Amino acid sequence: KPGEQKHSKEPSSLQCMHLAVVACGDRLEETLIMLKSAVLFSNRRLCFHIFAEDSLKPEFEKKLKEWPSSYTKKFEYNIYPITFSVGNAQEWKKLFKPCAAQRLFLPVILKDVDSLLYVDTDVLFLRPIDDIWHVLKEFNSTQLAAMAPEHEIPKIGWYSRFARHPYYGTTGVNSGVMLMNLTRIRNTRFKNSMIPSGLSWEEMLYPLYQKYKNYITWGDQDLLNIIFYFNPECLYVFPCQWNYRPDHCMYGSNCRGAEEEGVSILHGNRGVYHDDKQPTFKALYEVIRDFPFEDNLFQSLYYPLQSKFLDTVHTLCGRIPQVFLKQIEKTMKKVYENRVIVYLGANHRY
């Protein structure tokens, strides 16, 4: 495809976990830290699909080449220009945050990819992507995408209080972490409020936007909620620890899964990595950002994180440090054990 940057041969879908992100404006650093968190903890090989403005492409290439080879060998990447296959490109670009609507077109653009995890730039992985990738196997015969609820409590949820359009379930879903079986999406005729016979994904997007554009607040996320309102059987809902946001702790802890298992994927929406409103979120972002790739994970990542968290206990999110630390500690122990076992096993053979 024009403008696409390929790096080494495409492995089969069985070997590779596909991760997509859309980066425009000032999201270069955030995106790189997200990719870094993915590479630090993943087990299987990763394929990154980075959709970016033309001006960011050389920056991404420069920064990714600076990573040590012990990590760059764990992934390959493609960089794509921002493109919209139907409708007015300028309208799509302005729909919500710059270029965010690009995620709606992933099934159309990535025709050779079977399944994909899409994440926003402000996401951090606190455990291997392998673990959420396994959710694909839990889909039943009609499910083709997975998202987490927008809120756990309907009476204080945004959609249940303010939405002026249809939305999924009782609280809507959040599209910042979205697992997709692209093959199924491409092959499905979707029920909708426009044509009784159903429409393909690509056929549906622009008419749906035209119908609801005066009623939507959160752009492409609202369109996804409308789609799955009419097609609820197509959606798998995963629990809140896979898309943990400030809303889950800033009014008191309301994500039971995170309390039990720890946060699996952190989603720092509302710009919380870059201000002082939620210092627990900012602490995680800064520690992963500043971690030197080949240092000891416990000494240079986990212990600094514990130390930073001591300064956040005055906040509601900071009062539950175990929620943020439990999963990342477990993950680092596994990474360490794997390295030691592999190292000892290699030496044992000689």
Side-chain angles (χ1 to χ4, degrees):
K1 299 185 185 77
E4 182 179 330
Q5 193 73 31
K6 281 206 173 285
H7 296 262
S8 80
K9 289 181 180 177
E10 172 78 1
S12 74
S13 293
L14 292 173
Q15 296 171 321
C16 190
M17 298 179 294
H18 294 270
L19 178 67
V21 65
V22 180
C24 289
D26 60 357
R27 297 302 181 103
L28 176 74
E29 182 194 74
E30 236 180 43
T31 307
L32 287 164
I33 307 309
M34 179 276 290
L35 297 174
K36 183 180 184 181
S37 72
V39 170
L40 280 177
F41 303 129
S42 69
N43 298 314
R44 278 171 51 195
R45 187 169 176 78
L46 293 161
C47 286
F48 295 148
H49 301 273
I50 303 166
F51 290 81
E53 290 172 309
D54 293 342
S55 59
L56 293 180
K57 181 179 173 183
E59 289 295 311
F60 272 114
E61 292 181 329
K62 177 174 174 280
K63 295 290 185 183
L64 290 171
K65 281 174 185 169
E66 290 172 0
W67 290 7
S69 61
S70 57
Y71 285 93
T72 56
K73 70 183 181 186
K74 292 177 68 176
F75 70 90
E76 62 183 66
Y77 67 92
N78 299 325
I79 300 177
Y80 308 81
I82 302 296
T83 52
F84 303 98
S85 61
V86 293
N88 183 309
Q90 290 308 311
E91 278 188 284
W92 286 121
K93 279 184 182 177
K94 294 173 184 172
L95 181 57
F96 185 46
K97 290 178 181 172
C99 310
Q102 180 71 75
R103 86 181 89 179
L104 296 172
F105 294 87
L106 296 178
V108 181
I109 297 168
L110 300 174
K111 292 187 188 301
D112 297 328
V113 177
D114 175 64
S115 295
L116 177 86
L117 178 64
Y118 164 86
V119 295
D120 285 348
T121 60
D122 52 10
V123 155
L124 292 171
F125 294 95
L126 305 188
R127 68 190 286 184
I129 289 185
D130 310 60
D131 296 339
I132 192 169
W133 194 256
H134 288 317
V135 172
L136 287 162
K137 294 180 179 174
E138 297 176 21
F139 283 12
N140 66 24
S141 60
T142 61
Q143 289 165 339
L144 45 74
M147 288 185 273
E150 172 64 22
H151 216 285
E152 299 304 301
I153 305 167
K155 66 181 179 182
I156 59 172
W158 194 92
Y159 283 107
S160 44
R161 289 186 296 161
F162 303 119
R164 295 188 295 150
H165 59 77
Y167 57 89
Y168 178 88
T170 55
T171 59
V173 282
N174 183 281
S175 60
V177 179
M178 186 176 178
L179 193 61
M180 292 181 272
N181 183 318
L182 300 184
T183 302
R184 286 189 180 183
I185 290 173
R186 286 187 286 263
N187 293 337
T188 298
R189 304 292 293 180
F190 290 87
K191 297 189 289 291
N192 59 84
S193 57
M194 299 166 292
I195 297 174
S197 60
L199 291 166
S200 73
W201 185 266
E202 189 175 19
E203 290 168 342
M204 175 174 57
L205 291 178
Y206 195 61
L208 202 66
Y209 165 65
Q210 288 294 318
K211 179 168 182 175
Y212 291 103
K213 65 180 179 181
N214 294 325
Y215 304 100
I216 59 179
T217 303
W218 307 110
D220 45 305
Q221 176 173 292
D222 288 351
L223 289 178
L224 289 165
N225 267 282
I226 294 165
I227 290 169
F228 291 111
Y229 168 83
F230 290 108
N231 301 271
E233 73 285 356
C234 293
L235 190 66
Y236 178 105
V237 179
F238 49 64
C240 47
Q241 66 264 33
W242 292 104
N243 186 347
Y244 191 90
R245 284 158 277 129
D247 284 0
H248 289 120
C249 57
M250 62 192 284
Y251 309 114
S253 182
N254 61 40
C255 176
R256 188 173 295 171
E259 290 169 13
E260 293 170 357
E261 292 184 24
V263 174
S264 297
I265 295 178
L266 193 76
H267 184 181
N269 64 344
R270 305 174 184 264
V272 294
Y273 298 148
H274 313 294
D275 60 31
D276 297 316
K277 291 177 182 173
Q278 298 298 336
T280 44
F281 283 75
K282 188 176 183 181
L284 270 156
Y285 178 80
E286 290 181 343
V287 165
I288 292 173
R289 179 193 67 193
D290 297 340
F291 172 69
F293 265 107
E294 294 181 306
D295 275 21
N296 179 284
L297 279 167
F298 277 102
Q299 286 180 343
S300 301
L301 198 153
Y302 188 70
Y303 297 140
L305 191 56
Q306 282 184 313
S307 177
K308 274 179 178 276
F309 269 28
L310 292 174
D311 298 328
T312 73
V313 292
H314 62 285
T315 68
L316 281 170
C317 294
R319 288 178 195 171
I320 48 171
Q322 70 282 1
V323 164
F324 295 89
L325 294 172
K326 188 183 290 187
Q327 194 58 242
I328 198 167
E329 181 183 17
K330 190 175 167 185
T331 297
M332 285 192 288
K333 279 181 180 173
K334 277 187 182 173
V335 171
Y336 180 72
E337 285 167 6
N338 288 343
R339 283 181 187 167
V340 169
I341 290 164
V342 167
Y343 177 76
L344 290 175
N347 282 334
H348 186 67
R349 286 196 294 273
Y350 293 103

